[in-house]
Amino acid sequence: MTLGTGVGGGIVAEGKLLHGVAGAAGELGHITVDFDQPVPCTCGKKGCLETVASATGIVNLTRRYADEYAGEAELKKLIDNGEDVTAKTVFDLAKEGDELALIVYRNFSRYLGIACANIGSILNPSTIVIGGGVSAAGPFLLEGIQKVYDENTFPQVRTSTKLALATLGNDAGVIGAASLVLQ
Ligand SMILES: [Zn+2]
């Protein structure tokens, strides 16, 4: 799963990339997860994972919770001052304990953790790998997702399907494309 400007995905089963009947298998970004305040996605429907878990989605969430938030958090001040807030800003502030950033972080984790739990229950893969620019937040990002994942998977899946951060960085796309050609 790639958390970048959007949310991308690919499913490798028994060593092969799944294509689906129309080439759309593994479009994990368009799993519906937001039933609370679903916003339109680039795909034409609402409430997609991409609208709450991509870099853009995290900024969407930040604006949503900033509207409801009345405390003194640094993130709230940045939003109110019209500063350029990115996913990195949110995760950096959440790591420091910023109250609003933590609200965004917990909700981001809830959406993505639920998506991973559902993917785990459908496919029971060995690993769900999370990469893309947003995953630069590192183990902190994984911690939040793991907690929700553990609460929402049944024991066989929870103990056998692991969550992990991607390690190939920007080379992942090229390596994936090359391996498809080799197949
Ligand atoms: Zn969508």
mmCIF file of all heavy atoms in Angstrom, residues 1 129-132 135 164-172 175:
data_model
loop_
_atom_site.group_PDB
_atom_site.id
_atom_site.type_symbol
_atom_site.label_atom_id
_atom_site.label_comp_id
_atom_site.label_asym_id
_atom_site.label_seq_id
_atom_site.Cartn_x
_atom_site.Cartn_y
_atom_site.Cartn_z
ATOM 1 N N MET A 1 0.849 -1.177 0.000
ATOM 2 C CA MET A 1 0.000 0.000 0.000
ATOM 3 C C MET A 1 0.892 1.238 0.000
ATOM 4 O O MET A 1 1.848 1.294 0.769
ATOM 5 C CB MET A 1 -0.870 -0.034 1.272
ATOM 6 C CG MET A 1 -1.946 1.022 1.297
ATOM 7 S SD MET A 1 -2.846 0.951 2.855
ATOM 8 C CE MET A 1 -3.713 -0.603 2.684
ATOM 9 N N VAL A 129 2.441 -4.269 3.435
ATOM 10 C CA VAL A 129 3.571 -3.334 3.430
ATOM 11 C C VAL A 129 3.060 -1.925 3.155
ATOM 12 O O VAL A 129 2.321 -1.705 2.197
ATOM 13 C CB VAL A 129 4.595 -3.732 2.347
ATOM 14 C CG1 VAL A 129 5.799 -2.788 2.401
ATOM 15 C CG2 VAL A 129 5.037 -5.177 2.515
ATOM 16 N N ILE A 130 3.443 -0.995 4.017
ATOM 17 C CA ILE A 130 2.987 0.381 3.884
ATOM 18 C C ILE A 130 4.164 1.265 3.498
ATOM 19 O O ILE A 130 5.167 1.335 4.213
ATOM 20 C CB ILE A 130 2.335 0.863 5.207
ATOM 21 C CG1 ILE A 130 1.112 -0.019 5.487
ATOM 22 C CG2 ILE A 130 1.937 2.336 5.113
ATOM 23 C CD1 ILE A 130 0.554 0.111 6.867
ATOM 24 N N GLY A 131 4.042 1.897 2.324
ATOM 25 C CA GLY A 131 5.124 2.759 1.848
ATOM 26 C C GLY A 131 4.590 4.091 1.366
ATOM 27 O O GLY A 131 3.482 4.489 1.713
ATOM 28 N N GLY A 132 5.371 4.795 0.566
ATOM 29 C CA GLY A 132 4.985 6.115 0.070
ATOM 30 C C GLY A 132 5.472 7.216 1.000
ATOM 31 O O GLY A 132 5.923 6.950 2.116
ATOM 32 N N SER A 135 4.662 7.422 4.732
ATOM 33 C CA SER A 135 5.244 6.405 5.629
ATOM 34 C C SER A 135 6.607 6.839 6.168
ATOM 35 O O SER A 135 7.185 6.171 7.025
ATOM 36 C CB SER A 135 5.354 5.049 4.929
ATOM 37 O OG SER A 135 6.373 5.073 3.958
ATOM 38 N N ALA A 164 4.059 -3.905 8.048
ATOM 39 C CA ALA A 164 5.469 -3.483 7.992
ATOM 40 C C ALA A 164 5.604 -2.217 7.161
ATOM 41 O O ALA A 164 4.788 -1.947 6.278
ATOM 42 C CB ALA A 164 6.315 -4.595 7.384
ATOM 43 N N LEU A 165 6.648 -1.460 7.450
ATOM 44 C CA LEU A 165 6.950 -0.284 6.635
ATOM 45 C C LEU A 165 7.784 -0.736 5.439
ATOM 46 O O LEU A 165 8.620 -1.632 5.555
ATOM 47 C CB LEU A 165 7.746 0.733 7.448
ATOM 48 C CG LEU A 165 6.981 1.415 8.587
ATOM 49 C CD1 LEU A 165 7.945 2.220 9.452
ATOM 50 C CD2 LEU A 165 5.877 2.327 8.040
ATOM 51 N N ALA A 166 7.550 -0.116 4.283
ATOM 52 C CA ALA A 166 8.314 -0.443 3.071
ATOM 53 C C ALA A 166 9.764 -0.020 3.255
ATOM 54 O O ALA A 166 10.069 0.913 3.992
ATOM 55 C CB ALA A 166 7.701 0.272 1.879
ATOM 56 N N THR A 167 10.649 -0.742 2.590
ATOM 57 C CA THR A 167 12.081 -0.427 2.732
ATOM 58 C C THR A 167 12.720 -0.030 1.397
ATOM 59 O O THR A 167 13.864 0.388 1.370
ATOM 60 C CB THR A 167 12.854 -1.632 3.303
ATOM 61 O OG1 THR A 167 12.578 -2.772 2.484
ATOM 62 C CG2 THR A 167 12.437 -1.920 4.734
ATOM 63 N N LEU A 168 11.991 -0.172 0.279
ATOM 64 C CA LEU A 168 12.605 0.119 -1.029
ATOM 65 C C LEU A 168 12.534 1.593 -1.421
ATOM 66 O O LEU A 168 13.157 2.007 -2.393
ATOM 67 C CB LEU A 168 11.934 -0.723 -2.129
ATOM 68 C CG LEU A 168 12.127 -2.239 -2.030
ATOM 69 C CD1 LEU A 168 11.335 -2.955 -3.113
ATOM 70 C CD2 LEU A 168 13.600 -2.611 -2.126
ATOM 71 N N GLY A 169 11.778 2.390 -0.685
ATOM 72 C CA GLY A 169 11.694 3.828 -0.961
ATOM 73 C C GLY A 169 11.219 4.127 -2.371
ATOM 74 O O GLY A 169 10.337 3.436 -2.904
ATOM 75 N N ASN A 170 11.825 5.129 -2.999
ATOM 76 C CA ASN A 170 11.390 5.560 -4.328
ATOM 77 C C ASN A 170 11.702 4.552 -5.426
ATOM 78 O O ASN A 170 11.228 4.688 -6.547
ATOM 79 C CB ASN A 170 12.027 6.914 -4.688
ATOM 80 C CG ASN A 170 11.347 8.046 -3.940
ATOM 81 O OD1 ASN A 170 10.190 7.935 -3.549
ATOM 82 N ND2 ASN A 170 12.070 9.135 -3.730
ATOM 83 N N ASP A 171 12.515 3.538 -5.116
ATOM 84 C CA ASP A 171 12.846 2.529 -6.125
ATOM 85 C C ASP A 171 11.732 1.492 -6.267
ATOM 86 O O ASP A 171 11.741 0.699 -7.218
ATOM 87 C CB ASP A 171 14.141 1.792 -5.744
ATOM 88 C CG ASP A 171 15.341 2.733 -5.784
ATOM 89 O OD1 ASP A 171 15.273 3.732 -6.528
ATOM 90 O OD2 ASP A 171 16.322 2.469 -5.079
ATOM 91 N N ALA A 172 10.769 1.481 -5.355
ATOM 92 C CA ALA A 172 9.757 0.422 -5.334
ATOM 93 C C ALA A 172 9.008 0.307 -6.659
ATOM 94 O O ALA A 172 8.820 -0.792 -7.178
ATOM 95 C CB ALA A 172 8.772 0.659 -4.188
ATOM 96 N N ILE A 175 11.270 -1.205 -9.416
ATOM 97 C CA ILE A 175 11.527 -2.628 -9.161
ATOM 98 C C ILE A 175 10.265 -3.446 -9.454
ATOM 99 O O ILE A 175 10.320 -4.512 -10.078
ATOM 100 C CB ILE A 175 12.007 -2.842 -7.704
ATOM 101 C CG1 ILE A 175 13.386 -2.193 -7.534
ATOM 102 C CG2 ILE A 175 12.056 -4.328 -7.338
ATOM 103 C CD1 ILE A 175 13.884 -2.117 -6.103
#
